[in-house]
Amino acid sequence: MERLLLHVCCAPCSVAIIEELRSVYGLTAFFYNPNIYPEAEYLKRKAEVIRACGRWNIPLVDQDRENERWEERVSGIPQDREGGSRCSACFRLRIRRTAEYAREHGFGLIATSLTGGRNKRSLVINAIGRAVAEPLGLEFVREDWKRKGRQERGLALVREMGIYRQDYCGCRFSLEDRRKGSEI
Ligand code: SF4
């Protein structure tokens, strides 16, 4: 079985992906989400990912929060709404760290649950994933995890397991947008 390192952004987006991929690959989950603000929310989301992985005994690599690194990476980028250049930088940072870890630890394949998010554009994320993975000699599994019934399966698992569902994407800007009542 080929080994795949799956970057997981949160439990609601990743639970159906984990369920699907665990029988196809030698799967390891990778939690690296320095965007999540505040820390209490980060810990809450991480605890749910630990719980989701525990359901199928999937090993989980827990990286540091490194919120300063994320802040540094997005500083100077015009702070537009979700989906703009700040988000591309955010995706790139998270996928790059996943790819670096994969290369250091002998994985040939990487993927991310990010395209499972209902507002996430798979074309953008998959292009970033490929551009990051290929120079490191890795294959990025391009998918839109919202499709082929995964979104519905994810919702069913979230209900069944009572998984916490956040109401903003993750960073302080998206939290502010949610507080202002705009859609995320
Ligand atoms: S809105 Fe989401 S994807 Fe965009 S920068 Fe914030 S956390 Fe990252």
Side-chain angles (χ1 to χ4, degrees), residues 105-163:
H105 292 83
F107 291 85
L109 298 165
I110 63 166
T112 178
S113 63
L114 284 166
T115 64
R118 64 193 160 98
N119 295 325
K120 299 290 184 292
R121 288 186 295 157
S122 57
L123 271 179
V124 172
I125 294 165
N126 285 331
I128 291 171
R130 197 173 174 188
V132 166
E134 285 186 354
L136 295 178
L138 300 165
E139 187 182 330
F140 178 79
V141 176
R142 279 175 287 166
E143 256 298 352
D144 185 341
W145 297 111
K146 293 183 278 304
R147 301 180 61 211
K148 301 179 190 165
R150 278 87 164 237
Q151 202 161 38
E152 294 73 16
R153 179 62 187 151
L155 278 172
L157 284 165
V158 162
R159 277 193 214 105
E160 182 192 321
M161 294 174 68
I163 288 173

Side-chain angles (χ1 to χ4, degrees), residues 15-38:
V15 67
I17 308 171
I18 293 170
E19 182 188 51
E20 178 177 329
L21 295 186
R22 77 199 160 92
S23 51
V24 182
Y25 299 105
L27 185 66
T28 297
F30 189 76
F31 192 82
Y32 179 66
N33 298 293
N35 51 311
I36 303 172
Y37 178 90

Side-chain angles (χ1 to χ4, degrees), residues 35 70 82-83 86-87 90-91 94 120 169-171 173-174:
N35 51 311
W70 183 87
E82 184 180 349
R86 183 190 69 228
C87 296
C90 176
F91 301 147
R94 292 189 273 170
K120 299 290 184 292
C169 184
C171 66
F173 301 104
S174 59

